[in-house]
């Protein structure tokens, strides 16, 4: 980092004629780097705090608890890059899980019940999309409204009681493929797919342009509304899948699953270096940040550190990460 | 200017009509909803939200948002509660100074981060929401301040009354609303907040000290959350490290948005915010009276917020049409 | 503050003990509460701590910041990873913890639910320790209410959430008692409302009760949050002579209301004894001196003979303790 600063000062007087940055700097001085460094630090600190921490099976197992939120956070990252935000998917997870569980309890066969859950996800995405795109309301406020609304609906459907799912449906997190729990695998695969789409397809480049400069995007003939709507639908459906995975992990569904999860999703995206005002960010960053969060919280819980300290650390991490992200962007993208 | 003020008037008239219609509809089923007693219940439900909403309104007008107020409320209430518990000999009204001071300090910290590093308020306050809540647990060692430690004079403020059976706390929120109105509409600094929110670039060009104003609105928002903190102790008689103030930010933002304050900055009135708070209060107190199960209340809140947003948009579009028709 | 440093010290101490010697490790007992900052658990924890001091075991209390169904899961996983011998837990959900508790038991950890049970999923824990036989809570509460209102008039129940298993057991027993015992023939239950254990919501529900039923003479709130909220409404409206509030409350939270006459009496049990019993039972089972079988009995200092009832449930006391102006100052929890 100090290297960058020095070269910055040296370059200051002749900034206008300054040549392009060395390739290695562009490659390395990125927000993801900071996430990666934090991840390494967290691993070292956590292992020294408790002898029980450094155990791959345990870490993977702990990741399954956050894998569902992390999946949604990946899509949320793309959403934020496109200049919108969705705070409702954690409630959406609960609602989709509740409609799914309610349907199968009412005798609908499981595959159809899964379909009901997915449809719920689509419907939620559609409603958010219509309110934001058709009615041009700010997504942050709309989705705070639907955050309350969707969880409220979940509560109407399920009441305060929990709905059981059949035995054979339980335990997706206990199924191991190559020693890796399925939810972790799903998360990794989704990261690779979305990472590819975002970085290497026209659709992905268009998303960045919409977020960076909506007017330029319009002049370039990009159908911003259509792309944004597709993102709202995608996040709705991802939330519904995540919700049903949670149902399988817990064996029962209640309206309060993933309560407060929106905070963690936003935290993952921010820690991964996604710029809250759009246009910048990457799937790799969110991928790393998800692991960072799991390692921080698991490390602290297994070391029996007061849960209060975890809140403080998460809050401070968020602020540090955004300061660093801003700093890096201001240095590298002049 | 005249046209614009008329539009604002219409916006507030809209919420007012919504409140009246809602109350009449509820009253048709449950006549006891249209009594003074029930008005008292509504008024006693909303004070904390109203105090928080005044601060949040200013923050939103300045084109920021403060998500940390719930945790600020909790932290201030805890500091005051611990003062009452461990130093009972201190004159209790000093608690107000302490709560407001602590709240203002936390708000200033938000403001510093936002202005110094040019960070988005939503992320900073999301971070401090966690941080302040964690600190509340740490200073209190995760222990509740029980009822017996809260001075009975303080608790009495929410119950006893100087006149007409209206408790002190109601007079207090009326005073705060009036003060906020005076500050926002009739002081130079207050107008600068609106100028900053409507057009940050122009505001800077006109010589408004953007950093100073930003710091000020966050300090005010924090101070009001701190005041809400000591009033929490007054109203509910205890301070709990996890419950006190949790979810407060959502209630407040909902009320403020329903009251017509624009999330895009520059637009908002005290009257609208007060009406938004009252509408939420009416809904909260009517649902149990109607025997609507608690499980549906959140869905109804969510729906009310979304409907309010749509109505707001409808009104604004009509306003834009009216303006362009006249121009 | 002192307690906190002891706790932290204990945490670090534990870590070093475990890494160092593994020859004669003391038994490690952890109690996972519903959430932190809940005054109710301070008292249970006290029982655990004192018993562990006497019997020589390591004790730790942990709890998630919030009480939603799944928030305890990472804490259970972490304790399994730490290799504790006994997990005591006040479950936040009767079924969401099944899988992770099974995992703990598969690793040979003794799983006890303390102060709340996995109703309907009892096979996922080894035993449960409850303060009283919960079938007695309902009749006890009705009797106390009746004695306050001369056994006649309209009464209502202010509960926590609609699906809280314990609450529903008690409410069902209250209804049953009111309907079938001729002594209470003149008492009419007019409504059961739910305050979700939030002070704000409990208050609005209480206000709605008073508005909807002007002839109400009594309210039973079998939840610590509910009774305090109900008492506060009655106190602020100055109608304590007309509407009588009782229920289950914490002496520390209710002391003021009892002293100013708002609430003449309420009930609870000793949370402290639950922790005390849990430690004695757990150590007995681990060293083989107690058989965890229905019908078995064992002796616990200060508590006398404890019987293991159906579903491996144990109680610390037979009847609820009633608190009133005469004894409220004898209790400090």
């Amino acid at each position: 980092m100090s290297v960058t600063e020095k070269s910055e000062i040296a370059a200051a007087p002749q900034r206008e004629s300054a040549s392009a940055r060395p390739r290695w700097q562009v490659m390395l001085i990125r927000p993801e780097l900071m996430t990666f460094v934090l991840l390494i630090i967290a691993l070292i600190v956590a292992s020294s705090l408790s002898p029980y921490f450094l155990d791959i099976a345990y870490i993977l197992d702990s990741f399954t608890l956050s894998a569902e939120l992390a999946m949604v956070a990946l899509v949320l990252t793309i959403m934020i890059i496109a200049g919108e935000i969705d705070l409702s998917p954690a409630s959406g997870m609960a609602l989709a899980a509740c409609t799914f569980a309610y349907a199968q309890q009412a005798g609908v066969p499981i595959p159809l019940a899964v379909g009901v859950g997915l449809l719920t996800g689509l419907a939620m995405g559609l409603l958010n999309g219509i309110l934001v795109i058709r009615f041009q309301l700010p997504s942050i406020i709309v989705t705070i409204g639907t955050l309350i609304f969707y969880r409220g609906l979940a509560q109407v459907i399920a009441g305060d009681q929990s709905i059981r799912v059949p035995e054979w449906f339980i335990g997706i997190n206990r199924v191991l493929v190559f020693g890796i729990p399925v939810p972790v695998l799903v998360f990794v695969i989704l990261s690779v797919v979305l990472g590819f789409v975002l970085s290497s397809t026209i659709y992905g480049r268009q998303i960045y342009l919409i977020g960076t400069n909506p007017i330029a995007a319009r002049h370039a003939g990009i159908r911003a509304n259509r792309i944004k709507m597709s993102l709202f639908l995608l996040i709705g459906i991802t939330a519904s899948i995540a919700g049903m995975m949670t149902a399988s992990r817990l064996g029962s569904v209640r309206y309060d699953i993933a309560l407060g999860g929106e905070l963690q999703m936003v935290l993952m995206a921010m820690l991964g270096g996604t710029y809250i005002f759009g246009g910048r960010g990457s799937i790799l960053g969110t991928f790393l940040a998800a692991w960072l969060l799991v390692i921080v919280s698991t490390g602290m819980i297994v070391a029996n550190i007061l849960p209060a300290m975890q809140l403080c650390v998460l809050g401070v991490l968020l602020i540090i990460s955004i300061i660093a992200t801003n700093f890096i962007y201001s240095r590298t993208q002049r | 200017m005249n046209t614009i003020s008329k539009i604002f008037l219409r916006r507030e008239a809209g919420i007012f009509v919504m409140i009246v219609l809602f109350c009449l509809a509820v009253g048709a089923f449950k006549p006891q909803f249209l009594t003074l007693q029930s008005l008292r219940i509504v008024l006693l439900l909303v004070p904390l939200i109203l105090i928080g909403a005044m601060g949040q309104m200013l923050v939103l007008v300045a084109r920021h948002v403060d998500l940390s107020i719930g945790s600020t409320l909790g932290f201030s209430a805890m500091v005051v509660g611990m003062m009452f518990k461990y130093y009972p000999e201190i004159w209790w009204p000093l608690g107000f100074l302490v709560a407001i001071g602590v709240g203002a300090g936390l708000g200033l910290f938000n403001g510093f981060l936002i202005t110094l590093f040019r960070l988005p308020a939503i992320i900073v306050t999301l971070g401090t929401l966690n941080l302040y809540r964690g600190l509340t647990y740490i200073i209190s060692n995760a222990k509740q301040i029980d009822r017996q430690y809260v001075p009975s004079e303080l608790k009495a403020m929410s119950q006893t009354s100087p006149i007409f059976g209206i408790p002190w706390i109601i007079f207090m929120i009326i005073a705060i609303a009036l003060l906020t109105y005076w500050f926002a509409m009739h002081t130079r600094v207050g107008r600068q907040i609106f100028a900053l929110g409507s057009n940050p670039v122009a505001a800077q060009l006109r010589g408004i000290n953007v950093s100073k104003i930003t710091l000020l609105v966050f300090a005010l928002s924090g101070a009001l959350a701190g005041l809400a903190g000591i009033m929490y102790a007054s109203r509910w008689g205890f301070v709990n490290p996890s419950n006190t103030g949790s979810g407060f930010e959502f209630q407040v933002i909902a009320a403020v948005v329903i009251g017509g304050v624009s999330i895009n900055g520059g637009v908002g009135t005290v009257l609208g915010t007060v009406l938004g708070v009252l509408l939420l209060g009416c809904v909260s107190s009517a649902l149990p009276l109607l025997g609507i199960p608690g499980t549906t209340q959140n869905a109804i809140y969510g729906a009310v917020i979304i409907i309010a947003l749509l109505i707001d948009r409808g009104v604004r579009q009509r306003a834009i049409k009216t303006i362009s028709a006249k121009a | 503050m002192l307690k906190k440093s002891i706790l932290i010290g204990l945490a670090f101490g534990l870590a070093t003990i475990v890494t160092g010697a593994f020859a004669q490790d003391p038994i490690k007992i952890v109690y996972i509460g519903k959430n932190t900052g809940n005054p109710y658990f301070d008292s249970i924890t006290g029982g655990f701590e004192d018993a562990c001091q006497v019997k020589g075991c390591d004790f730790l209390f942990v709890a998630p910041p919030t009480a939603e169904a799944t928030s305890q899961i990472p804490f259970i996983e972490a304790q399994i990873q730490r290799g504790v011998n006994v997990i005591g837990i006040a479950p936040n959900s009767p079924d969401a913890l099944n899988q992770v508790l099974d995992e703990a038991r598969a690793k040979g950890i003794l799983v006890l639910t303390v102060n709340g049970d996995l109703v309907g999923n009892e096979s996922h824990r080894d035993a449960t320790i409850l303060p009283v036989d919960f079938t007695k809570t309902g009749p006890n509460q009705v009797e106390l209410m009746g004695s306050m209102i001369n056994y006649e008039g309209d009464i209502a129940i202010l509960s926590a959430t609609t699906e809280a298993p314990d609450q529903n057991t008690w409410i069902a027993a209250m209804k049953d008692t009111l309907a079938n015992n001729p002594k209470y023939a003149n008492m009419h239950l007019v409504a059961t409302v739910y305050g979700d254990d939030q002070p704000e919501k409990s208050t609005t529900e209480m206000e709605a009760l008073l508005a909807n039923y002007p002839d109400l003479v009594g309210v039973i709130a079998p939840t610590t949050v509910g009774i305090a909220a109900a008492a506060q409404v009655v106190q602020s409206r100055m109608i304590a002579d007309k509407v009588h509030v009782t229920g289950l409350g914490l002496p520390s939270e209710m002391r003021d209301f009892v002293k100013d006459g708002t609430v003449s009496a309420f009930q609870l049990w000793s949370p402290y004894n639950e922790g005390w019993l849990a430690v004695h039972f757990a150590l007995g089972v681990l060293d083989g001196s107690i058989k965890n079988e229905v019908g078995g009995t064992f002796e616990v200092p200060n508590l006398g003979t404890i019987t293991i009832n159906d579903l491996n449930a144990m109680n610390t006391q037979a009847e609820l303790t009633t608190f009133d102006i005469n004894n409220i100052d004898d209790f400090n929890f």
Side-chain angles (χ1 to χ4, degrees):
Chain A
M1 215 85 104
S2 61
V3 178
T4 347
E5 260 175 283
K6 267 183 206 154
S7 67
E8 187 63 42
I9 294 161
Q14 62 226 3
R15 183 175 294 149
E16 277 165 32
S17 59
S19 58
R21 292 186 170 279
R23 199 177 176 80
W24 66 269
Q25 274 196 9
V26 180
M27 297 287 282
L28 280 181
I29 311 296
R30 296 167 58 90
E32 293 90 343
L33 179 71
M34 170 209 64
T35 316
F36 187 70
V37 171
L38 284 176
L39 183 63
I40 300 297
I41 295 175
L43 267 173
I44 294 169
V45 171
S47 327
S48 64
L49 273 178
S50 167
Y52 303 103
F53 172 75
L54 210 58
D55 171 351
I56 296 293
Y58 173 58
I59 295 174
L60 285 177
D61 210 33
S62 300
F63 193 85
T64 59
L65 304 182
S66 302
E68 299 115 6
L69 293 178
M71 282 166 53
V72 185
L74 293 172
V75 188
L76 181 64
T77 305
I78 305 183
M79 186 80 113
I80 296 176
I81 293 173
E84 298 290 346
I85 194 166
D86 187 351
L87 295 176
S88 73
S91 298
M93 284 169 64
L95 179 54
C98 282
T99 54
F100 155 75
Y102 187 83
Q104 61 86 20
Q105 198 189 33
V108 178
I110 291 274
L112 272 181
V114 171
V116 170
L118 293 175
L119 273 182
T120 312
L122 272 183
M124 290 184 294
L126 192 67
L127 177 61
N128 282 337
I130 289 175
L131 288 171
V132 172
I133 295 159
R134 167 77 182 75
F135 291 98
Q136 294 174 325
L137 295 168
S139 53
I140 178 147
I141 289 296
V142 165
T143 55
I144 284 180
T146 52
L147 175 159
I148 302 171
F149 184 58
Y150 293 159
R151 196 168 293 281
L153 281 184
Q155 210 178 357
V156 171
I157 289 169
D160 291 332
Q161 117 198 70
S162 52
I163 306 177
R164 301 301 305 273
V165 298
E167 272 315 309
W168 67 265
F169 189 79
I170 300 177
I172 191 172
N173 56 320
R174 297 272 168 264
V175 182
L176 304 184
V177 178
F178 308 121
I180 300 167
V182 169
V184 181
L185 211 60
V186 172
F187 169 69
V188 173
I189 293 170
L190 189 67
S191 306
V192 172
V193 171
L194 289 179
F196 173 77
V197 168
L198 191 61
S199 63
S200 311
T201 64
I202 296 175
Y203 180 73
R205 303 321 296 172
Q206 287 179 336
I207 287 173
Y208 276 104
L209 188 57
I210 296 172
T212 324
N213 192 338
I215 297 167
R218 199 188 314 147
H219 288 312
I222 295 172
R223 294 182 177 173
N225 284 349
R226 190 174 286 190
I227 290 177
K228 282 181 180 174
M229 181 55 103
S230 71
L231 287 177
F232 274 110
L233 293 178
L234 182 64
I235 202 167
I237 223 154
T238 313
S240 68
I241 295 170
M244 287 184 279
M245 280 169 61
T246 314
S248 167
R249 174 165 64 81
L250 297 175
S252 71
V253 172
R254 220 165 74 157
Y255 79 92
D256 67 354
I257 56 178
L259 189 68
E262 58 279 348
L263 219 83
Q264 271 183 294
M265 294 175 190
V266 173
L267 201 59
M268 286 177 193
M270 292 300 113
L271 275 176
T274 306
Y275 188 56
I276 188 73
F277 296 126
R280 297 156 181 178
S282 72
I283 292 293
L284 175 65
T286 305
F287 178 84
L288 292 172
W291 288 99
L292 172 63
L293 269 189
V294 167
I295 281 163
V296 167
S297 64
T298 311
M300 293 180 87
I301 291 178
V302 83
N304 285 333
I305 290 174
L306 278 178
M309 276 309 281
Q310 297 170 36
L311 289 177
C312 292
V313 170
L314 291 185
V316 170
L317 267 182
L318 181 63
I319 294 169
I320 290 178
S321 74
I322 184 136
I323 292 176
T325 307
N326 267 20
F327 180 80
I328 290 169
Y329 281 135
S330 68
R331 296 280 147 168
T332 55
Q333 306 210 349
R334 283 231 164 103
Chain B
M1 205 58 203
N2 203 11
T3 330
I4 293 174
S5 66
K6 267 184 195 155
I7 294 160
F8 286 149
L9 201 67
R10 204 191 297 169
R11 164 73 184 152
E12 278 131 16
I15 316 169
F16 185 72
V17 169
M18 264 172 88
I19 295 177
V20 170
L21 286 181
F22 180 81
C23 290
L24 287 178
V26 176
F29 293 98
K30 292 278 175 184
Q32 63 264 46
F33 189 68
L34 301 176
T35 58
L36 277 178
Q37 181 62 40
S38 145
L39 178 66
R40 182 174 182 272
I41 294 170
V42 172
L43 287 181
L44 275 177
L45 261 183
V46 299
L48 302 186
I49 301 181
L50 192 110
I51 296 172
M54 289 296 120
Q56 191 71 252
M57 183 198 94
L58 294 175
V59 175
L60 283 182
V61 164
R63 231 185 236 206
H64 290 289
V65 65
D66 188 350
L67 296 179
S68 73
I69 50 172
S71 301
T72 305
L73 186 159
F75 187 86
S76 315
M78 188 51 81
V79 170
V80 173
M82 291 175 71
M83 181 188 105
F84 290 148
K85 182 173 177 178
Y86 295 110
Y87 304 98
E89 69 279 3
I90 292 178
W91 189 52
W92 70 270
L94 274 183
F96 279 95
L97 274 184
V98 173
I100 293 172
V102 169
L106 298 184
L108 266 180
F109 182 67
N110 287 335
F112 269 122
L113 287 176
I114 290 161
T115 50
L116 199 63
F117 298 101
R118 297 173 187 279
L119 300 178
I122 181 164
I123 297 303
V124 169
T125 55
L126 191 64
T128 53
L129 176 152
N130 282 302
L131 176 63
Y132 297 163
R133 177 64 60 191
L135 290 176
T136 309
Y137 282 107
I138 290 173
I139 60 162
S140 65
N141 196 18
K143 296 272 191 292
Q144 173 172 311
I145 302 291
D146 286 326
R147 204 168 288 277
Q148 71 217 54
Y149 300 114
V150 179
S152 36
E153 298 90 337
L154 179 63
K155 283 184 278 189
M157 283 191 67
S158 302
Q159 292 161 7
T160 58
S161 147
I163 185 169
F164 298 139
I166 305 167
W168 280 107
I169 191 171
I170 310 275
F171 288 106
M172 196 172 127
I173 56 169
I174 293 174
I176 285 170
L178 289 176
L179 269 176
T180 314
Y181 174 79
W182 169 80
F183 171 73
M185 304 308 284
H186 294 288
T187 64
R188 195 184 153 78
V189 180
R191 298 318 298 161
Q192 287 182 341
I193 297 174
F194 280 82
L196 170 65
S198 346
N199 192 336
V201 181
Q204 202 154 17
L205 292 177
R206 271 171 49 190
I208 293 175
N209 186 334
V210 173
S211 301
K212 205 182 84 186
I213 299 288
T214 308
L215 279 176
L216 180 77
V217 292
F218 278 97
L220 279 174
S221 170
L224 285 166
L227 177 63
I230 188 169
M231 291 324 287
Y232 184 101
S234 163
R235 180 77 182 89
W236 306 111
F238 66 90
V239 181
N240 185 288
S242 68
N243 293 346
T244 298
S246 114
F248 184 62
E249 58 281 349
F250 281 141
Q251 287 176 310
V252 164
I253 291 175
V256 171
V257 169
I258 291 172
V261 177
S262 167
I263 196 80
N264 295 323
V267 177
T269 64
V270 171
L271 182 60
T273 307
V274 170
L275 289 172
V277 171
L278 284 179
L279 180 58
L280 265 195
C282 286
V283 175
S284 317
S285 69
L287 294 182
L289 199 63
L290 292 169
I292 293 175
T295 48
T296 60
Q297 293 191 4
N298 282 327
I300 293 176
Y301 283 156
V304 166
I305 295 174
I306 296 168
I307 292 168
L309 282 172
L310 287 174
I311 291 177
D312 185 33
R313 156 148 173 97
V315 169
R316 210 176 307 151
Q317 278 214 321
R318 213 158 4 120
I320 292 165
K321 270 183 203 153
T322 329
I323 291 172
S324 36
K326 284 196 175 168
Chain C
M1 274 301 154
L2 183 70
K3 220 172 194 175
K4 183 178 137 200
S5 46
I6 290 175
L7 259 182
I8 292 173
L10 195 68
F12 280 104
L14 264 181
T16 44
I17 287 168
V18 176
T19 43
F22 63 103
Q24 278 187 330
D25 276 354
I27 299 287
K28 286 189 282 184
I29 298 179
V30 63
Y31 182 52
I32 303 175
K34 280 182 182 296
N35 55 343
T36 44
N38 189 333
Y40 185 85
F41 289 101
D42 294 347
S43 189
I44 298 188
T45 312
F48 269 103
E49 274 167 1
D50 291 355
C52 263
Q53 206 144 38
V54 174
K55 306 284 282 185
C57 43
D58 283 332
F59 172 70
L60 189 76
F61 173 75
V62 293
T66 56
E68 83 248 15
T70 60
S71 57
Q72 290 170 322
I73 293 177
F75 289 84
I76 303 172
E77 299 241 5
Q79 296 309 325
I80 298 172
Q81 179 72 9
R82 293 183 66 86
V84 296
N85 307 88
V86 180
I87 291 180
I89 184 165
N92 281 339
S93 158
D95 48 23
L97 307 176
N98 290 354
Q99 330 304 330
V100 63
L101 290 180
D102 283 349
E103 193 187 325
R105 296 177 67 217
K107 297 251 165 80
I109 298 172
L110 184 70
V111 175
L112 307 175
T113 54
V114 179
N115 191 58
D117 201 5
L118 304 169
V119 178
N121 296 287
E122 288 85 357
S123 63
H124 299 274
R125 48 79 176 153
D126 291 296
T128 188
I129 287 159
L130 300 172
V132 290
D133 178 357
F134 278 173
T135 55
K136 293 205 175 132
T137 311
N140 279 0
Q141 292 259 287
V142 170
E143 169 56 31
L144 180 63
M145 182 86 258
S147 70
M148 293 161 83
I149 58 171
N150 294 323
Y151 302 97
E152 62 178 27
D154 290 349
I155 60 166
I157 297 172
L158 171 60
S159 173
T161 56
T162 53
E163 295 296 334
D166 299 342
Q167 295 279 327
N168 286 344
T169 314
W170 302 335
I171 292 170
M174 285 179 203
K175 286 181 176 161
D176 187 59
T177 311
L178 287 168
N180 297 327
N181 190 333
K183 188 179 180 187
Y184 310 117
N186 293 328
M187 287 162 67
H188 306 289
L189 180 67
V190 292
T192 304
V193 296
Y194 300 88
D196 290 352
D197 268 352
Q198 296 167 3
E200 294 87 346
K201 179 118 194 301
S202 304
T203 302
T204 37
E205 292 290 349
M206 179 69 186
E207 300 270 17
L209 277 180
L210 296 176
N212 279 338
Y213 306 98
D215 296 329
L216 205 66
V217 296
V219 173
I220 304 176
T223 144
T224 56
V225 178
I227 188 175
Q232 187 151 28
V233 170
V234 166
Q235 183 193 48
S236 106
R237 288 202 183 189
M238 290 174 282
I239 49 171
D241 52 335
K242 191 178 161 292
V243 180
H244 299 266
V245 171
T246 189
L248 302 178
L250 279 171
S252 58
E253 295 190 312
M254 299 303 291
R255 189 162 287 132
D256 284 8
F257 293 125
V258 170
K259 288 192 170 168
D260 72 6
T262 307
V263 172
S264 57
F266 64 97
Q267 296 176 316
L268 200 67
W269 41 74
S270 162
Y272 177 91
N273 286 345
E274 293 177 64
W276 180 263
L277 171 59
V279 170
H280 285 85
F281 174 75
L283 294 179
V285 169
L286 291 182
D287 70 16
S289 63
I290 297 174
K291 282 220 160 39
N292 183 16
E293 286 168 353
V294 175
T297 60
F298 56 96
E299 296 290 322
V300 175
N302 302 339
L303 295 180
T305 307
I306 301 290
T307 310
I308 302 175
N309 300 317
D310 284 348
L311 294 168
N312 301 68
M314 283 153 272
N315 304 122
T316 53
Q317 58 194 87
E319 304 278 337
L320 294 163
T321 310
T322 302
F323 305 94
D324 57 25
I325 188 75
N326 299 316
N327 68 355
I328 185 90
D329 279 331
D330 303 340
F331 299 91
N332 62 351
F333 61 87

